Amino acid sequence: MDREEVFAGLREKMVEEQIAARGVREPRLLQAFREVPRHLFVPGEHAHLAYIDGPLPIGEGQTISQPFIVALMTQLLELEGDETVLEIGTGSGYQAAILARLARQVYSVEQYPALARHATHTLARLGFENVRVFEGDGSLGLPEFAPYRGIVITAAAPKVAQAVLDQLADQAWLVAPVGGRKGQVLQRWQRRGDTFAKEKLIPVAFVPLRGESGWKTRDWAE
Ligand code: SAH
Protein backbone atom coordinates (compact mmCIF):
# COMPACT_ATOMS: atom_id res chain seq x y z
CA MET A 1 0.00 0.00 0.00
CA ASP A 2 1.34 3.43 -0.81
CA ARG A 3 1.15 6.43 1.48
CA GLU A 4 -2.01 7.90 -0.11
CA GLU A 5 -3.84 4.58 0.26
CA VAL A 6 -2.87 4.42 3.92
CA PHE A 7 -4.22 7.96 4.43
CA ALA A 8 -7.43 7.10 2.54
CA GLY A 9 -7.96 4.16 4.87
CA LEU A 10 -7.40 6.33 7.95
CA ARG A 11 -9.79 8.91 6.51
CA GLU A 12 -12.54 6.32 6.03
CA LYS A 13 -12.06 5.16 9.62
CA MET A 14 -12.26 8.80 10.80
CA VAL A 15 -15.54 9.29 8.93
CA GLU A 16 -17.09 6.13 10.34
CA GLU A 17 -15.83 6.13 13.91
CA GLN A 18 -15.48 9.82 14.75
CA ILE A 19 -18.19 11.45 12.63
CA ALA A 20 -20.98 9.08 11.52
CA ALA A 21 -20.96 7.04 14.75
CA ARG A 22 -21.54 10.26 16.70
CA GLY A 23 -24.60 11.22 14.73
CA VAL A 24 -23.39 13.41 11.86
CA ARG A 25 -24.72 11.36 8.95
CA GLU A 26 -25.59 13.73 6.09
CA PRO A 27 -24.29 11.85 3.01
CA ARG A 28 -22.88 14.89 1.16
CA LEU A 29 -21.06 15.93 4.28
CA LEU A 30 -19.54 12.50 4.91
CA GLN A 31 -18.45 12.40 1.28
CA ALA A 32 -16.67 15.74 1.70
CA PHE A 33 -14.75 14.37 4.68
CA ARG A 34 -13.79 11.27 2.65
CA GLU A 35 -12.47 13.42 -0.17
CA VAL A 36 -10.58 16.26 1.51
CA PRO A 37 -7.04 15.09 2.37
CA ARG A 38 -6.73 16.36 5.94
CA HIS A 39 -3.07 15.27 6.12
CA LEU A 40 -2.18 17.98 3.59
CA PHE A 41 -3.62 20.68 5.89
CA VAL A 42 -1.44 19.85 8.90
CA PRO A 43 2.30 20.57 9.16
CA GLY A 44 4.38 17.80 7.54
CA GLU A 45 5.75 16.54 10.85
CA HIS A 46 2.18 15.88 12.07
CA ALA A 47 0.86 14.28 8.86
CA HIS A 48 0.82 10.84 10.48
CA LEU A 49 -1.49 12.25 13.20
CA ALA A 50 -3.86 14.01 10.79
CA TYR A 51 -6.72 11.53 11.29
CA ILE A 52 -6.65 11.26 15.09
CA ASP A 53 -9.69 12.24 17.13
CA GLY A 54 -8.44 15.65 18.25
CA PRO A 55 -7.03 19.05 17.29
CA LEU A 56 -3.42 19.52 16.10
CA PRO A 57 -1.00 22.47 16.11
CA ILE A 58 -0.68 24.37 12.80
CA GLY A 59 1.82 27.11 13.80
CA GLU A 60 1.44 30.59 15.34
CA GLY A 61 0.01 28.90 18.46
CA GLN A 62 -3.13 27.96 16.51
CA THR A 63 -4.84 24.60 15.92
CA ILE A 64 -6.80 22.72 13.28
CA SER A 65 -10.01 21.63 15.02
CA GLN A 66 -10.98 18.04 15.86
CA PRO A 67 -12.63 16.39 12.81
CA PHE A 68 -15.93 15.76 14.63
CA ILE A 69 -16.22 19.42 15.64
CA VAL A 70 -15.60 20.54 12.04
CA ALA A 71 -18.29 18.07 10.93
CA LEU A 72 -20.80 19.16 13.55
CA MET A 73 -20.32 22.88 12.88
CA THR A 74 -20.65 22.28 9.14
CA GLN A 75 -23.80 20.17 9.52
CA LEU A 76 -25.38 22.90 11.66
CA LEU A 77 -25.16 25.31 8.69
CA GLU A 78 -27.54 23.03 6.71
CA LEU A 79 -25.87 23.77 3.36
CA GLU A 80 -27.53 22.58 0.17
CA GLY A 81 -24.92 23.54 -2.40
CA ASP A 82 -25.62 27.00 -3.80
CA GLU A 83 -24.72 29.13 -0.78
CA THR A 84 -22.19 31.88 -0.15
CA VAL A 85 -20.52 31.13 3.18
CA LEU A 86 -18.21 33.10 5.47
CA GLU A 87 -15.62 31.51 7.75
CA ILE A 88 -13.87 33.60 10.38
CA GLY A 89 -10.54 31.95 11.28
CA THR A 90 -9.07 30.16 8.23
CA GLY A 91 -6.20 28.52 10.15
CA SER A 92 -5.06 25.59 8.02
CA GLY A 93 -7.85 26.00 5.45
CA TYR A 94 -9.30 22.55 6.25
CA GLN A 95 -12.75 23.71 7.34
CA ALA A 96 -12.81 26.08 4.34
CA ALA A 97 -12.10 23.10 2.05
CA ILE A 98 -14.94 21.10 3.59
CA LEU A 99 -17.29 24.09 3.20
CA ALA A 100 -16.14 24.56 -0.39
CA ARG A 101 -17.33 21.03 -1.16
CA LEU A 102 -20.78 21.79 0.21
CA ALA A 103 -21.44 25.39 -0.84
CA ARG A 104 -20.96 27.49 -3.96
CA GLN A 105 -18.53 30.11 -2.66
CA VAL A 106 -16.52 30.38 0.55
CA TYR A 107 -14.91 33.53 1.92
CA SER A 108 -12.53 33.01 4.83
CA VAL A 109 -10.57 35.51 6.94
CA GLU A 110 -7.35 34.79 8.86
CA GLN A 111 -5.49 37.19 11.14
CA TYR A 112 -2.00 35.66 10.71
CA PRO A 113 -0.43 36.45 7.31
CA ALA A 114 1.68 33.25 7.36
CA LEU A 115 -1.38 31.05 7.99
CA ALA A 116 -3.46 32.91 5.39
CA ARG A 117 -0.70 32.45 2.80
CA HIS A 118 -0.20 28.81 3.64
CA ALA A 119 -3.93 28.01 3.53
CA THR A 120 -4.28 29.85 0.20
CA HIS A 121 -1.44 27.78 -1.20
CA THR A 122 -2.82 24.45 0.07
CA LEU A 123 -6.31 25.19 -1.27
CA ALA A 124 -4.94 26.27 -4.67
CA ARG A 125 -2.73 23.21 -4.92
CA LEU A 126 -5.77 20.99 -4.31
CA GLY A 127 -7.77 22.83 -6.97
CA PHE A 128 -10.31 24.60 -4.75
CA GLU A 129 -11.34 27.52 -6.93
CA ASN A 130 -14.37 28.57 -4.89
CA VAL A 131 -12.52 29.67 -1.75
CA ARG A 132 -11.07 33.13 -1.21
CA VAL A 133 -8.84 33.66 1.81
CA PHE A 134 -8.36 37.18 3.17
CA GLU A 135 -5.70 38.24 5.60
CA GLY A 136 -6.85 40.52 8.42
CA ASP A 137 -9.18 40.95 11.37
CA GLY A 138 -12.38 39.04 10.69
CA SER A 139 -13.91 39.63 14.12
CA LEU A 140 -16.42 42.04 12.57
CA GLY A 141 -17.04 39.78 9.58
CA LEU A 142 -16.47 40.61 5.92
CA PRO A 143 -19.24 43.04 4.92
CA GLU A 144 -18.09 43.33 1.27
CA PHE A 145 -19.65 40.01 0.28
CA ALA A 146 -22.61 39.92 2.70
CA PRO A 147 -25.26 38.65 3.08
CA TYR A 148 -24.06 35.09 3.71
CA ARG A 149 -26.23 31.95 3.69
CA GLY A 150 -24.02 30.60 6.47
CA ILE A 151 -21.34 31.95 8.81
CA VAL A 152 -18.95 29.88 10.90
CA ILE A 153 -16.58 31.37 13.46
CA THR A 154 -13.79 28.93 14.30
CA ALA A 155 -12.30 30.79 17.29
CA ALA A 156 -13.95 31.53 20.65
CA ALA A 157 -15.44 35.00 21.00
CA PRO A 158 -16.58 36.78 24.18
CA LYS A 159 -19.90 37.11 22.36
CA VAL A 160 -21.18 36.99 18.80
CA ALA A 161 -20.84 40.52 17.43
CA GLN A 162 -24.04 42.12 16.17
CA ALA A 163 -22.03 43.36 13.15
CA VAL A 164 -21.44 39.72 12.17
CA LEU A 165 -25.05 38.65 12.79
CA ASP A 166 -26.11 41.53 10.54
CA GLN A 167 -24.22 39.86 7.66
CA LEU A 168 -26.50 36.80 7.76
CA ALA A 169 -29.15 36.34 5.10
CA ASP A 170 -32.72 35.81 6.28
CA GLN A 171 -33.23 32.27 7.72
CA ALA A 172 -29.48 31.56 7.52
CA TRP A 173 -27.43 30.05 10.35
CA LEU A 174 -24.33 31.24 12.18
CA VAL A 175 -22.32 28.74 14.26
CA ALA A 176 -19.71 29.87 16.78
CA PRO A 177 -17.95 28.86 19.99
CA VAL A 178 -18.62 31.49 22.65
CA GLY A 179 -16.75 31.88 25.91
CA GLY A 180 -13.28 32.14 27.38
CA ARG A 181 -10.28 29.98 28.22
CA LYS A 182 -12.13 28.28 31.08
CA GLY A 183 -15.33 27.36 29.29
CA GLN A 184 -17.05 27.74 25.95
CA VAL A 185 -20.28 26.59 24.43
CA LEU A 186 -21.11 26.09 20.78
CA GLN A 187 -23.91 28.43 19.79
CA ARG A 188 -26.10 28.47 16.71
CA TRP A 189 -27.96 31.60 15.68
CA GLN A 190 -30.59 32.05 13.00
CA ARG A 191 -31.71 35.27 11.43
CA ARG A 192 -35.49 35.57 11.31
CA GLY A 193 -36.20 38.89 9.67
CA ASP A 194 -34.91 41.49 12.06
CA THR A 195 -34.59 39.14 15.01
CA PHE A 196 -31.96 36.55 15.86
CA ALA A 197 -32.73 33.25 17.62
CA LYS A 198 -29.99 31.53 19.63
CA GLU A 199 -29.48 27.86 20.59
CA LYS A 200 -26.77 26.58 22.92
CA LEU A 201 -25.34 23.19 21.95
CA ILE A 202 -22.29 21.51 23.51
CA PRO A 203 -19.20 22.55 25.49
CA VAL A 204 -16.15 23.10 23.26
CA ALA A 205 -12.53 24.34 23.55
CA PHE A 206 -11.24 26.73 20.89
CA VAL A 207 -8.35 29.18 20.61
CA PRO A 208 -9.40 32.80 21.18
CA LEU A 209 -10.90 35.08 18.58
CA ARG A 210 -8.73 38.22 18.57
CA GLY A 211 -9.24 41.57 16.91
CA GLU A 212 -11.66 44.38 17.46
CA SER A 213 -14.55 42.32 18.78
CA GLY A 214 -12.43 39.40 20.09
CA TRP A 215 -10.55 38.72 23.32
CA LYS A 216 -7.81 41.03 24.56
CA THR A 217 -4.76 39.04 25.70
CA ARG A 218 -5.24 40.13 29.32
CA ASP A 219 -8.91 39.10 29.54
CA TRP A 220 -8.40 35.71 27.89
CA ALA A 221 -5.56 34.82 30.30
CA GLU A 222 -7.63 35.43 33.42
N1 SAH B 1 -10.88 26.66 10.81
C1 SAH B 1 -9.49 26.37 11.10
C2 SAH B 1 -9.23 26.32 12.59
C3 SAH B 1 -8.62 27.54 12.95
S1 SAH B 1 -8.17 27.89 14.63
C4 SAH B 1 -9.01 25.12 10.41
O1 SAH B 1 -9.82 24.42 9.79
O2 SAH B 1 -7.82 24.85 10.47
C5 SAH B 1 -8.77 29.55 14.69
C6 SAH B 1 -8.12 30.50 13.72
O3 SAH B 1 -8.77 31.76 13.91
C7 SAH B 1 -6.64 30.74 13.96
O4 SAH B 1 -5.93 30.50 12.79
C8 SAH B 1 -6.58 32.21 14.36
O5 SAH B 1 -5.40 32.87 13.94
C9 SAH B 1 -7.81 32.77 13.69
N2 SAH B 1 -8.31 34.02 14.25
C10 SAH B 1 -8.44 34.38 15.54
N3 SAH B 1 -8.94 35.63 15.65
C11 SAH B 1 -9.13 36.09 14.38
C12 SAH B 1 -9.63 37.30 13.82
N4 SAH B 1 -10.02 38.32 14.60
N5 SAH B 1 -9.69 37.40 12.49
C13 SAH B 1 -9.29 36.38 11.68
N6 SAH B 1 -8.81 35.21 12.14
C14 SAH B 1 -8.73 35.05 13.48
Side-chain angles (χ1 to χ4, degrees):
M1 250 202 282
D2 73 12
R3 187 180 144 96
E4 288 309 313
E5 286 170 336
V6 171
F7 282 129
L10 292 172
R11 201 151 59 237
E12 185 59 39
K13 218 162 124 61
M14 170 190 84
V15 167
E16 282 166 23
E17 295 175 5
Q18 300 174 31
I19 300 175
R22 293 180 183 146
V24 174
R25 305 225 167 91
E26 215 257 291
R28 287 174 68 239
L29 190 142
L30 297 182
Q31 192 55 28
F33 279 85
R34 282 192 189 98
E35 288 173 6
V36 176
R38 183 170 161 97
H39 60 284
L40 300 181
F41 289 86
V42 305
E45 72 268 27
H46 297 316
H48 65 294
L49 299 174
Y51 297 98
I52 65 165
D53 191 11
L56 287 170
I58 55 170
E60 308 282 3
Q62 307 303 313
T63 54
I64 178 173
S65 307
Q66 180 189 13
F68 172 68
I69 294 295
V70 178
L72 179 64
M73 290 172 80
T74 305
Q75 173 162 282
L76 288 165
L77 294 177
E78 298 184 5
L79 300 173
E80 290 180 351
D82 67 345
E83 296 87 351
T84 297
V85 176
L86 173 66
E87 176 189 35
I88 302 172
T90 316
S92 67
Y94 179 69
Q95 167 104 58
I98 295 289
L99 292 169
R101 285 274 177 187
L102 298 168
R104 187 171 48 77
Q105 178 68 45
V106 179
Y107 297 98
S108 184
V109 191
E110 169 56 47
Q111 63 173 341
Y112 284 111
L115 292 179
R117 272 198 305 272
H118 194 258
T120 303
H121 177 81
T122 309
L123 290 160
R125 173 182 160 202
L126 290 171
F128 285 95
E129 288 178 356
N130 60 338
V131 186
R132 280 180 67 184
V133 177
F134 295 84
E135 174 200 318
D137 176 13
S139 68
L140 294 173
L142 189 64
E144 293 94 301
F145 304 100
Y148 301 100
R149 303 279 335 161
I151 299 179
V152 60
I153 309 180
T154 66
K159 66 185 192 90
V160 176
Q162 187 60 45
V164 178
L165 288 169
D166 287 341
Q167 292 167 36
L168 272 180
D170 193 27
Q171 306 299 319
W173 302 103
L174 173 148
V175 177
V178 177
R181 194 169 56 86
K182 292 180 183 151
Q184 301 159 21
V185 64
L186 196 62
Q187 294 187 352
R188 178 165 80 157
W189 294 71
Q190 185 179 39
R191 180 177 206 138
R192 296 176 188 163
D194 290 334
T195 64
F196 297 87
K198 174 172 80 174
E199 294 165 74
K200 292 185 180 176
L201 301 153
I202 55 165
V204 286
F206 277 79
V207 296
L209 183 76
R210 301 295 189 187
E212 196 164 330
S213 102
W215 287 100
K216 303 293 165 271
T217 310
R218 185 188 61 240
D219 301 331
W220 175 262
E222 265 167 17

